Amino acid sequence: MRPGTEGAHDRTPTTESLFTARSAGGRRERFVSALLAASAAATVLVTVGLVLTLIFEAGHFLVEVGLLSFLLDSEWTPGFRPARYGILPLLVGTLKVAAIASVVALPIGLLTAIYLSEYADRRARALLKPLLETLAGIPTVVYGYFALIVVTPALRSVLPGIEVFNALSAGIVVGIMIIPMVSSLSEDAFRAVPRSLRDGAFALGATRFEVAWRIVLPAAASGVVAAFILALSRAIGETMIVAIAAGDLAGLSLDPRIATQTMTAYIVQMSLGDTPRGTIEYQSLFAVCMTLFLLTLALNATSQRIVRRFRTVYR
Amino acid sequence: MMGARAARRIRKRRRSGLAFGAVAGIATAFGLLTLALLIGAVVIEGAAAFDLQFLRSFTSRFPERAGVRAGLAGTIWVSAITAASAFPVGVAAAIWLEEYAPDTWWSRLVQTNIQNLAGVPSIVYGVLGLALFVRAMGAGRSVLAGGLTLGLLVLPIIVISSREALRAVPDSLREAAYALGATHGQVVFRQVVPAAFPGILTGTILALARAAGEAAPLILVGAVGFIAFTPTGLGDPFTVLPLQIFDWVRNPQPEYRQLAAAASLVLLIVLFVLNATAILLRNRWELRR
């Protein structure tokens, strides 16, 4: 949690006691505060609804297919008879795309953050940061278009044997999409490192590079790792780019040149198709969705834990 | 005096420092160049199909007659419903967390939960929308179901940005109001919320811009790209710009890809206007303080 999120609790005690004394009166005030509390509770209900929906819908599917074969079967062939529903091929496809995205986004995002926080002067930063944030605001369908129309043809002209729909192009573009996330979260971590640490290193004769690489980066390591994990989670949940550019072949191959179906792309394919509701084929959508939910939740929680546990507090 | 070895060493360190700075600069440039390439590709490819006719026509089997009228209207409808549903709840939750909540396990749970919700992939919200609005509420594949689904999606974003805006209001303002005998409710609603309002609005507009670019959750709710009318009521089927783009980009005919680029251009312009509004609001607000 970031400093300051404690909100109302860090007010001075005098203010605190004042407002409890005052708000004890007034029925209207109590009504308003109940309304506000109810709104806050509603945000928790969203999660409860989400979890119940996923459990209920995916439950049917898992009872029918069996948890073990869902987790361990190496084939995902909902269209075949007999259909097989092993999540592994979709998971491999998802991780393949996310890995390619990480290879693009982690180094570039990290270097961008170092540049912005340690090299760029105030004016350059004021110009560059909003431009980079624009990259995060581009809708993912537009990225999908970019992947299919610009990146894929470019890759095909360089690497022969690459398919029209492939994991590489989608992965690269997902990576581009998450660069601003890596860079801005890492930069926040760098800027939390106190000036005195840098000044001390400079005074000992360190170069700018040595200060950035040996002083600032290790001091901000937990924040950077947390940023990486969050970005990975974002890459795993990304939908439209892979639905447009990665294709729909669910397989265990790690080849980045071939068509690859991710979990999200499967959910889109299933929702667009005319599979009747209530069939096991249709319900597989929810089981995939639940897997996606649990995976991203675990990553996000890990990221938050890292920030909380390993944050170096400077005074 | 410095020995020759030490001098060499220093030169080497300087050189590697410069080289690293160059690499970091190139990495930063990479992101910006990609942005330029992306916008350039959309503009160059899309400009040919982009005209008034394109904005006024519905989609069509004949690419030269197709347009984004249904998508543009749908995006406006959906955004309005999203704002109307998520704004009051999100801002109220933020006010509660910042100004009312005692430090209990429950308020901490609410906070953690909002952080987690902000990290849930957008497509998962589609599943909730499908179960909650399309089926349980019986809204069907309507613009209402779509707007409410995106409302759930932006709710955590609105809460987080509104909390930041409320937190930026200095405590001295609250204390001055208490000193003049204001009740807690008066302090919050006559001083703190008005002071934070431009910030809250900015955050909400940015959240709406995010919603306007979303396609994945709406696909789950049952919206499709090929719709040749605009909604006239909450119960009507709809499409939005991102779904029209998705529909066209999947069509292998080159004419449709051009339409996808032109529709992307329209969407980028819509988002640009939203973002510019938000930035303008923020700047005016900062000037006043």
Side-chain angles (χ1 to χ4, degrees):
Chain A
M1 214 183 304
R2 298 171 31 195
T5 39
E6 297 79 16
H9 335 303
D10 53 23
R11 297 273 137 67
T12 50
T14 40
T15 329
E16 190 87 49
S17 48
L18 252 174
F19 54 67
T20 41
R22 292 285 179 176
S23 61
R27 194 173 287 168
R28 223 179 97 202
E29 297 227 340
R30 258 176 300 172
F31 174 71
V32 168
S33 91
L35 208 63
L36 297 175
S39 299
T43 60
V44 177
L45 277 185
V46 174
T47 306
V48 173
L50 199 54
V51 171
L52 286 182
T53 306
L54 289 175
I55 290 177
F56 182 75
E57 300 275 5
H60 281 291
F61 173 85
L62 289 177
V63 166
E64 192 88 10
V65 172
L67 183 63
L68 272 185
S69 72
F70 178 66
L71 291 178
L72 299 176
D73 196 330
S74 62
E75 301 258 349
W76 182 268
T77 53
F80 294 7
R81 294 289 164 267
R84 285 171 69 182
Y85 295 100
I87 189 74
L88 284 176
L90 292 181
L91 203 58
V92 166
T94 304
L95 295 180
K96 192 191 338 182
V97 171
I100 297 166
S102 302
V103 168
V104 172
L106 302 191
I108 293 178
L110 184 62
L111 285 168
T112 301
I114 291 177
Y115 183 80
L116 288 177
S117 128
E118 307 301 317
Y119 284 85
D121 60 17
R122 188 191 288 260
R123 269 179 47 210
R125 193 163 46 230
L127 178 74
L128 294 175
K129 272 200 81 163
L131 278 174
L132 279 170
E133 274 159 24
T134 311
L135 212 51
I138 303 278
T140 56
V141 264
V142 179
Y143 273 120
Y145 167 85
F146 181 66
L148 191 64
I149 306 299
V150 179
V151 177
T152 299
L155 288 174
R156 276 162 68 87
S157 67
V158 184
L159 298 167
I162 202 162
E163 293 179 9
V164 175
F165 297 103
N166 63 80
L168 186 59
S169 168
I172 290 173
V173 176
V174 172
I176 292 167
M177 184 194 78
I178 59 176
I179 287 174
M181 191 170 183
V182 177
S183 69
S184 86
L185 290 174
S186 305
E187 198 206 333
D188 287 347
F190 292 152
R191 287 161 75 79
V193 176
R195 233 278 49 107
S196 59
L197 232 60
R198 294 185 180 87
D199 290 343
F202 280 128
L204 291 173
T207 64
R208 202 172 272 278
F209 161 63
E210 286 158 350
V211 170
W213 199 253
R214 302 221 192 129
I215 306 292
V216 179
L217 189 60
S222 68
V224 172
V225 172
F228 283 4
I229 296 176
L230 267 189
L232 184 67
S233 154
R234 185 72 195 281
I236 287 173
E238 169 42 39
T239 306
M240 298 315 291
I241 298 173
V242 288
I244 290 170
D248 53 6
L249 184 76
L252 286 174
S253 164
L254 290 176
D255 189 348
R257 295 170 306 169
I258 61 170
T260 300
Q261 190 163 50
T262 64
M263 296 193 281
T264 51
Y266 175 75
I267 297 170
V268 167
Q269 187 199 13
M270 206 73 248
S271 317
L272 286 174
D274 38 15
T275 317
R277 269 184 210 161
T279 59
I280 197 76
E281 212 175 326
Y282 185 78
Q283 279 167 347
S284 67
L285 181 164
F286 296 99
V288 176
C289 215
M290 185 154 140
T291 314
L292 179 67
F293 175 71
L294 291 177
L295 191 60
T296 51
L297 187 70
L299 286 172
N300 295 344
T302 310
S303 163
Q304 284 169 28
R305 262 185 95 91
I306 289 175
V307 171
R308 230 172 303 164
R309 276 200 52 190
F310 299 102
R311 185 176 53 194
T312 328
V313 180
Y314 298 100
R315 294 166 194 277
Chain B
M1 275 283 87
M2 202 185 280
R5 258 181 65 194
R8 248 202 326 273
R9 211 174 119 75
I10 286 181
R11 265 204 305 279
K12 207 183 134 203
R13 282 171 55 205
R14 284 239 176 87
R15 261 206 308 277
S16 62
L18 280 177
F20 181 78
V23 170
I26 289 168
T28 310
F30 175 84
L32 300 176
L33 286 178
T34 319
L35 179 67
L37 189 62
L38 186 148
I39 292 177
V42 167
V43 170
I44 289 166
E45 180 91 7
F50 182 82
D51 53 14
L52 256 184
Q53 186 63 34
F54 182 70
L55 294 177
R56 277 197 306 223
S57 321
F58 290 112
T59 188
S60 159
R61 280 184 296 118
F62 307 100
E64 63 280 5
R65 275 192 235 154
V68 287
R69 183 168 171 178
L72 205 53
T75 292
I76 293 168
W77 270 85
V78 168
S79 300
I81 297 167
T82 302
S85 60
F87 180 75
V89 180
V91 174
I95 295 175
W96 186 76
L97 281 170
E98 282 301 312
E99 307 292 332
Y100 285 81
D103 187 12
T104 58
W105 65 271
W106 171 249
S107 67
R108 277 191 295 258
L109 175 80
V110 173
Q111 284 177 28
T112 314
N113 173 63
I114 286 167
Q115 278 201 334
N116 283 328
L117 277 180
V120 171
S122 65
I123 194 163
V124 176
Y125 282 97
V127 169
L128 184 59
L130 177 65
L132 210 61
F133 305 129
V134 177
R135 300 215 199 124
M137 208 175 87
R141 304 179 157 201
S142 63
V143 64
L144 179 65
L148 291 176
T149 304
L150 292 188
L152 294 179
L153 175 80
V154 299
L155 183 62
I157 310 176
I158 291 181
V159 176
I160 290 169
S161 63
S162 302
R163 287 189 70 188
E164 268 162 23
L166 289 166
R167 214 176 297 140
V169 175
D171 261 353
S172 56
L173 194 71
R174 296 183 181 84
E175 277 150 16
Y178 283 126
L180 292 172
T183 64
H184 185 213
Q186 286 168 335
V187 171
V188 171
F189 285 96
R190 299 208 189 150
Q191 302 301 329
V192 180
V193 173
F197 201 69
I200 292 174
L201 215 56
T202 303
T204 305
I205 294 171
L206 292 177
L208 281 183
R210 161 95 199 272
E214 278 292 345
L218 297 178
I219 291 174
L220 272 154
V221 173
V224 289
F226 198 92
I227 291 251
F229 50 85
T230 54
T232 53
L234 292 175
D236 285 354
F238 70 106
T239 187
V240 290
L241 282 171
L243 284 172
Q244 283 206 294
I245 298 169
F246 182 52
D247 199 43
W248 282 333
V249 82
R250 289 191 309 151
N251 195 312
Q253 274 177 267
E255 294 89 343
Y256 280 101
R257 298 205 159 159
Q258 203 172 49
L259 290 178
S264 298
L265 192 55
V266 176
L267 181 59
L268 289 182
I269 291 171
V270 169
L271 296 184
F272 178 78
V273 170
L274 281 172
N275 279 292
T277 315
I279 290 167
L280 225 64
L281 264 170
R282 186 188 291 164
N283 289 349
R284 283 192 62 173
W285 178 49
E286 272 169 4
L287 278 182
R288 262 198 319 184
R289 279 209 299 174

